[in-house]
Amino acid sequence: MSKAVRIHAHGGPEVLSYDDVDADKPGAGQVLIRHRAIGLNFLDTYFRSGLYPAPNGLPLVPGGEAAGTVLETGKGVDWLKPGDRVAYTIPTGAYCEERVVPAERLVMIPDGVSDEQAAALMLKGLTAEYLLRRTFKVKPGDTVLFHAAAGGVGLIAGQWAKHIGATVIGTAGSAEKVALAGQLGYDHVINYRDTDFVAAVNEITAGAKCDVVYDSVGKDTFPGSLDCLKPLGIFVSFGQSSGPIPPFNMALLSQKGSLYATRPTLFTYIAKRTDLEAGAKALFDLVAAGVIDVRINQRYALKDAAKAHTDLEARKTSGATILIP
């Protein structure tokens, strides 16, 4: 028997149940893993609440990223062996002690990157990778606005964008989070709770505004995010921690400067294994080189996943949070 956190009915953090489950055996092309650390993400709360449908119905094991050790490999998996350190991101299924994973979704964790770092990096770090290198290819001299700068994705993205050579502006919701983001890549950090971020961006850029806005907040930052863009700028909406963006007339993009808008998702960008491997290599190389400092600011036991969800949704967390089986 093994332990897993499962959802039997949609609702608040209280629906997360710490259950005994049967451990599976790996089939062809699969690998059995013992988890060492599991990442916590807002995506997990969307599946828990029912905002996003459960892929295979209920009960559902949430969790989109983890790192661990190979216990057993199935037929046809010849590039992994028991004891290898591996990590992955898959939309659900990570809140457990052991699980079977398709080998093609795994990446090896290199020397210089810990299991905890890898668990905190796979979904959040690969999200930063595709946002900065593929959705909008940030270049030296670009001006970037990143909402939720002190969150897991935001702290990675701020350091990465600064490394590229961009001017990086962030927003955060407390003095502590403003200070944290300022330590990790951001040239300017705006406390959106006591400052109009649109006016602040206009002042910081002397009216030139931004080439791109990355927004995982949603309702609370829209349409203000559009007002931070220069003509032909791009609005990248990749989450909705404050609630979904309400429907809007596309003519608004024309009125605000012939803007572009997109709603990407990580799992499209890493659907091909070659893209998964390339993104993970780019990410791990920067972590191993010390360019990206992975801040794991909260750790919870797996059995305390409900407390972790409560704190995440109350915006009491900063940086990355992991669950320890």
Side-chain angles (χ1 to χ4, degrees):
M1 297 292 287
S2 181
K3 287 287 191 179
V5 172
R6 296 195 295 180
I7 299 163
H8 298 272
H10 294 301
E14 72 281 354
V15 304
L16 296 171
S17 175
Y18 191 55
D19 298 341
D20 289 318
V21 295
D22 292 326
D24 293 330
K25 297 286 287 184
Q30 296 180 327
V31 176
L32 175 64
I33 299 169
R34 168 70 186 189
H35 285 151
R36 300 300 178 192
I38 301 157
L40 176 76
N41 295 280
F42 248 99
L43 178 66
D44 307 343
T45 73
Y46 300 159
F47 283 112
R48 187 207 71 222
S49 69
L51 179 64
Y52 287 4
N56 298 302
L58 299 178
L60 168 73
V61 177
E65 62 182 347
T69 304
V70 173
L71 295 180
E72 186 178 347
T73 60
K75 183 178 180 181
V77 181
D78 56 6
W79 59 279
L80 289 171
K81 64 183 184 304
D84 283 345
R85 296 193 308 132
V86 293
Y88 67 87
T89 179
I90 298 172
T92 60
Y95 284 17
C96 56
E97 293 178 334
E98 297 180 6
R99 77 175 295 194
V100 169
V101 178
E104 67 172 9
R105 292 289 92 192
L106 295 170
V107 297
M108 294 280 286
I109 303 172
D111 293 340
V113 178
S114 71
D115 291 349
E116 288 194 355
Q117 287 177 319
L121 278 171
M122 285 302 291
L123 191 149
K124 291 177 280 288
L126 288 176
T127 295
E129 186 275 332
Y130 86 75
L131 291 173
L132 299 176
R133 298 175 76 227
R134 292 189 279 164
T135 300
F136 175 85
K137 190 173 179 61
V138 175
K139 306 176 298 301
D142 283 343
T143 300
V144 171
L145 174 62
F146 211 102
H147 289 298
V153 178
L155 289 181
I156 296 168
Q159 295 173 84
W160 202 328
K162 189 62 180 176
H163 177 69
I164 292 170
T167 296
V168 193
I169 305 170
T171 68
S174 70
E176 294 77 15
K177 290 183 178 183
V178 167
L180 177 60
Q183 295 168 12
L184 295 175
Y186 287 87
D187 297 291
H188 309 275
V189 189
I190 303 159
N191 188 333
Y192 66 84
R193 294 192 186 276
D194 58 22
T195 303
D196 180 341
F197 73 83
V198 176
V201 167
N202 195 56
E203 181 178 351
I204 290 166
T205 63
K209 302 187 180 181
C210 303
D211 297 279
V212 58
V213 174
Y214 296 107
D215 190 341
S216 64
V217 176
K219 183 178 68 173
D220 288 355
T221 47
F222 187 86
S225 289
L226 302 183
D227 294 321
C228 295
L229 286 166
K230 61 180 61 173
L232 306 182
I234 182 168
F235 170 61
V236 182
S237 170
F238 69 100
Q240 49 195 40
S241 61
S242 68
I245 292 172
F248 66 94
N249 190 324
M250 290 289 285
L252 187 64
L253 301 176
S254 172
Q255 295 162 10
K256 291 184 179 293
S258 298
L259 304 179
Y260 295 87
T262 184
R263 180 57 169 90
T265 181
L266 168 64
F267 298 104
T268 304
Y269 280 84
I270 60 170
K272 296 180 181 177
R273 177 157 182 84
T274 52
D275 290 331
L276 171 63
E277 290 177 324
K281 183 180 187 308
L283 175 63
F284 287 151
D285 284 352
L286 291 182
V287 173
V291 172
I292 293 176
D293 178 1
V294 184
R295 292 291 176 97
I296 300 172
N297 290 340
Q298 299 81 212
R299 293 172 174 83
Y300 300 82
L302 177 60
K303 66 182 178 61
D304 296 326
K307 172 61 174 170
H309 275 227
T310 297
D311 290 348
L312 178 67
E313 291 181 299
R315 303 193 184 186
K316 292 181 178 179
T317 65
S318 64
T321 302
I322 59 171
L323 306 175
I324 307 297

